[in-house]
Amino acid sequence: MRLGLMAVPVAFFALFFAYPVTAIVGRGLKAGGDWQFGRIGEVLARPDILDVLWFTTWQALASTALTLLIALPGAYVFARFDFPGKQVLRAVVTVPFVLPTVVVGTAFLALLGRGGLLDEVWGVRLDTTVWAILLAHVFFNYAVVVRTVGGLWSQLDPRQEEAARVLGAGRFAAFCRVTLPALAPAVAAASLMVFLFTFTSFGVVQILGGPGYSTLEVEIYRQTAQLLDLPTAAVLTLVQFAAVGAILAVHAATVHRRERALKLVDAAQTSRRPRGAGQWALLGGVLLTALLLILLPLGVLVERSVDGADGADGPGGYGFGYYRALQSAGSGGSSTFLVPPLEAVGNSLRYALVATLIALVVGGLAAAALTRRAGRLVRGFDALLMLPLGVSAVTVGFGFLITLDKPPLDLRTSWILVPLAQALVGVPFVVRTMLPVLRAVDDRLREAAAVLGASPLRAWREVDLPLVRRAVLVAAGFAFAVSLGEFGATVFIARPDNPTLPVAVARLLGRSGELNYGQAMALSTILMLVCAVSLLLLERVRTDRSGEF
C-alpha cells in the first residue's frame, strides 16, 4: 500500500526534478561523452567563485541570527499572550513569507532605494548594500520563526517553569533550564529553514544587491543565462545541492526530536492577557516591530504604485495612471511586453490553480505514504520532497528547456511547463501541512473500517478525508500562494506572450524610466494583495497550528 502511494510522487519528482537537474549538470561536466570532474576543482579555485561562496554563507548566517534576534520575542507574544486582533496580526506577519521574492525586493527598493522613503526623508539609500539584503531577509523569514517556535511554545505547559520558580529558581534561570531546552528543537528547525531560504536567495539579492553582491543562486543564473558557462553553473549547482542536502538532513533530525521528545498541552490553555507594565511593553515592542518591519515596506510599495501617476503631464499627486498603463502593451514606447502587462495577472492565476491541483495530488499521496513512520527508505523519500525548496530553481527551469524537448515529452512550447515547475515548490508545503494532521488520525478508525469490509481507498475517503479536510484547504492555500510567486524557474520557461506576475515585475524593473518603475510597483501591489487575501482566508479556515508552515 505504501509503495503504491509513493509511486506517483516518485515518478513526478524523477521526471520533473531529478531528470532536468541531472541533465543540466551532465551537460556542464561532460565533454566528448566523458565526465570531467576536474572542472569542479578548477571552478572552486577561482577567486570570484570563492567570493560568491563566502558571501552566500556569511550573509545567510547573519540573516539567520538577525531574524532570530528580532522574531523570538514575537514568537513568545503569539504563544503566551491573548490580545485583540491576534489572528489578524498572525496573518499579517505571515504575508511576507508567501510573497514572491521579487515583490519583497520591490517593496524594499521602494523603501530604501533611489527616490525611496529614506532617500526622500533623510537622503539615505541602502540599496546595493548588504543591509538592504539582511533587512529584506528578516522581513521574509520573520513568520518562519514566529510560527515554528511560537507554535511549539504555545503548547508547552507553563506549569513546568512555574514549578522551577517555586523551587527557588529565578525567572531567567527557570527559562534557561526548563523552557529553552524544550524549545531547542523548534529553534534549531526554524534556524535551519531560515538559513536554507537565505542561502538560496535569488530575487531579493538580484534586485537589492546590485552587481556587487551575488549568492550561489544569482551566480548560477548569471553563468547560465548571461554567460552561457554551463560547466561553472553545473559545479555551483552541485555545491548548492550538497549544502542543501546537509541542511535538510539536520532539519529532519531536529523535527524528529521535536515530535517525540515533549508532552504538549492545548494551546488555548497557555495564552492569557498581558499582565504588568513589562508584558504590555513587550507586546507594544512586537507590534511596533511588525509595523516598521512588515507594514511599512508594504505600505510604501502601495504608495509608490499611485504616486505621481494621475496624468500624462508628469508627477503630481496620486492616481491610478500606472495601473491603467498596465492595460496596454508597449506603453510609454516600451517594448518590454508583447501583451499588456495586466494579462500577467490572469496568467498567474491560471497557472497557480493548475499547479495547486498538481501539488495537492502529488503531495497528498506523499503525505499519506509518510503517515506511518518507517525506516530509511521513507525518511529518504521525505527528504526528497523537500529538495525543491533549496535546489536551484534556475537549474530546474533551464533543465526543463533542454530535457523536455523531444516526444513524447516535447513541452517547450506548452503552457503546462510553468505549472509543473510551480508545483515542485508547492508539494513540500502540502506535505508539511497535511502530514501532522494525518499522523494524528487514530489507526483504530482505519482498522475498524477495514474490518467492516472497506477497501484502503474507501477507508481513506470515509475516515481520513473528513478529518483532514481543513488541512487540505490550508495546504491548497499555501501551494497556491507559493505557486503564484515562483520566479527562479518561471523566468526561463514563461513565454513572452504569457508572462507571470513575478516575471513581469522583474522585466519592468530591468528597464529604465519612471513609467516602468511605477508599473512594477503596481503589479507588485496586485500580487501582494492576492497573496494577502489568500492567507487571510487560510487563517479563517485553519484551526490546527501544528506543522512547519
Side-chain angles (χ1 to χ4, degrees):
M1 178 64 179
R2 185 192 298 275
L3 292 178
L5 292 171
M6 291 171 59
V8 171
V10 168
F12 179 79
F13 273 79
L15 185 59
F16 298 114
F17 179 70
Y19 178 40
V21 171
T22 303
I24 197 72
V25 172
R27 285 215 177 183
L29 295 182
K30 272 187 175 182
D34 297 325
W35 289 95
Q36 305 292 324
F37 291 110
R39 290 177 176 173
I40 297 177
E42 295 172 4
V43 171
L44 296 182
R46 287 166 45 182
D48 59 322
I49 298 300
L50 290 176
D51 288 342
V52 169
L53 292 173
W54 170 241
F55 175 73
T56 301
T57 304
W58 84 255
Q59 66 82 24
L61 290 170
S63 297
T64 302
L66 190 60
T67 302
L68 288 174
L69 179 66
I70 294 176
L72 281 176
Y76 175 79
V77 164
F78 279 105
R80 294 302 197 208
F81 292 167
D82 188 17
F83 54 91
K86 179 178 177 179
Q87 298 306 320
V88 174
L89 184 61
R90 189 197 301 272
V92 168
V93 301
T94 311
V95 166
F97 181 66
V98 298
L99 281 180
T101 54
V102 171
V103 174
V104 174
T106 306
F108 274 80
L109 194 64
L111 178 63
L112 308 175
R114 178 183 60 84
L117 182 63
L118 289 186
D119 190 18
E120 289 183 351
V121 176
W122 289 298
V124 175
R125 286 182 56 185
L126 294 179
D127 60 323
T128 70
T129 71
V130 72
W131 285 108
I133 295 172
L134 296 181
L135 288 173
H137 283 163
V138 175
F139 168 89
F140 188 76
N141 292 293
Y142 184 87
V144 176
V145 177
V146 168
R147 282 187 174 266
T148 304
V149 179
L152 179 61
W153 211 335
S154 66
Q155 294 179 282
L156 293 180
D157 193 342
R159 291 174 297 184
Q160 297 177 2
E161 188 173 320
E162 293 168 1
R165 296 188 63 192
V166 169
L167 294 174
R171 184 185 297 274
F172 183 72
F175 172 78
C176 291
R177 294 176 184 176
V178 178
T179 304
L180 188 58
L183 286 176
V187 174
S191 301
L192 286 166
M193 292 304 293
V194 173
F195 184 85
L196 173 65
F197 292 137
T198 53
F199 187 84
T200 57
S201 183
F202 178 48
V204 166
V205 178
Q206 188 182 44
I207 292 174
L208 295 177
Y213 298 102
S214 179
T215 56
L216 269 173
E217 186 79 354
V218 174
E219 190 64 20
I220 291 171
Y221 174 78
R222 192 173 77 91
Q223 296 291 339
T224 302
Q226 298 175 6
L227 303 180
L228 298 179
D229 187 352
L230 288 186
T232 299
V235 171
L236 296 182
T237 297
L238 288 176
V239 171
Q240 185 165 307
F241 185 86
V244 168
I247 294 168
L248 291 178
V250 177
H251 177 263
T254 60
V255 171
H256 188 57
R257 276 186 57 198
R258 183 174 39 163
E259 284 181 344
R260 67 181 184 179
L262 301 171
K263 183 178 180 180
L264 306 177
V265 299
D266 185 358
Q269 302 175 10
T270 65
S271 62
R272 53 177 174 74
R273 291 184 65 82
R275 300 172 185 171
Q279 293 187 355
W280 280 106
L282 177 60
L283 175 59
V286 169
L287 294 177
L288 182 62
T289 299
L291 174 65
L292 295 178
L293 178 68
I294 296 173
L295 295 181
L296 182 61
L298 298 180
V300 172
L301 174 65
V302 175
E303 189 268 342
R304 287 293 184 269
S305 73
V306 296
D307 185 19
D310 63 344
D313 298 329
Y318 292 97
F320 294 97
Y322 294 140
Y323 291 89
R324 288 193 294 269
L326 295 175
Q327 301 176 30
S328 60
S331 55
S334 168
S335 59
T336 306
F337 295 96
L338 299 178
V339 295
L342 195 61
E343 286 193 13
V345 179
N347 295 335
S348 288
L349 292 175
R350 287 191 295 271
Y351 290 149
L353 285 172
V354 176
T356 299
L357 291 176
I358 297 172
L360 281 177
V361 172
V362 176
L365 291 172
L370 292 168
T371 300
R372 297 175 180 84
R373 297 173 178 85
R376 294 181 179 178
L377 175 64
V378 173
R379 288 198 295 271
F381 177 58
D382 194 6
L384 168 69
L385 298 172
M386 293 289 288
L387 281 177
L389 289 181
V391 173
S392 172
V394 170
T395 300
V396 174
F398 195 66
F400 270 28
L401 294 181
I402 67 171
T403 56
L404 305 179
D405 60 344
K406 298 176 183 177
L409 282 175
D410 187 1
L411 302 177
R412 283 179 303 174
T413 59
S414 173
W415 63 271
I416 196 65
L417 267 187
V418 175
L420 288 171
Q422 293 173 342
L424 282 172
V425 184
V427 167
F429 289 87
V430 173
V431 173
R432 298 263 76 83
T433 302
M434 293 183 61
L435 190 55
V437 181
L438 284 171
R439 284 179 173 170
V441 177
D442 193 336
D443 282 338
R444 292 174 295 183
L445 295 176
R446 300 187 184 101
E447 294 167 359
V451 169
L452 293 173
S455 65
L457 178 61
R458 185 177 180 185
W460 183 86
R461 188 175 65 248
E462 300 292 340
V463 176
D464 291 55
L465 186 58
L467 296 174
V468 301
R469 187 176 290 113
R470 284 181 178 269
V472 171
L473 292 175
V474 173
F478 273 120
F480 178 80
V482 298
S483 297
L484 201 64
E486 203 287 323
F487 175 64
T490 309
V491 71
F492 276 96
I493 58 180
R495 291 162 49 184
D497 57 341
N498 283 293
T500 63
L501 274 169
V503 172
V505 171
R507 289 180 185 173
L508 287 166
L509 287 175
R511 299 183 64 89
S512 60
E514 292 297 324
L515 179 59
N516 285 315
Y517 178 83
Q519 287 179 286
M521 296 294 163
L523 272 182
S524 297
T525 300
I526 292 172
L527 187 49
M528 177 197 70
L529 291 175
V530 173
C531 291
V533 169
S534 301
L535 199 61
L536 288 170
L537 291 176
L538 287 186
E539 287 299 321
R540 293 183 64 86
V541 170
R542 190 170 190 170
T543 56
D544 178 32
R545 302 292 169 190
S546 61
E548 298 288 324
F549 307 108

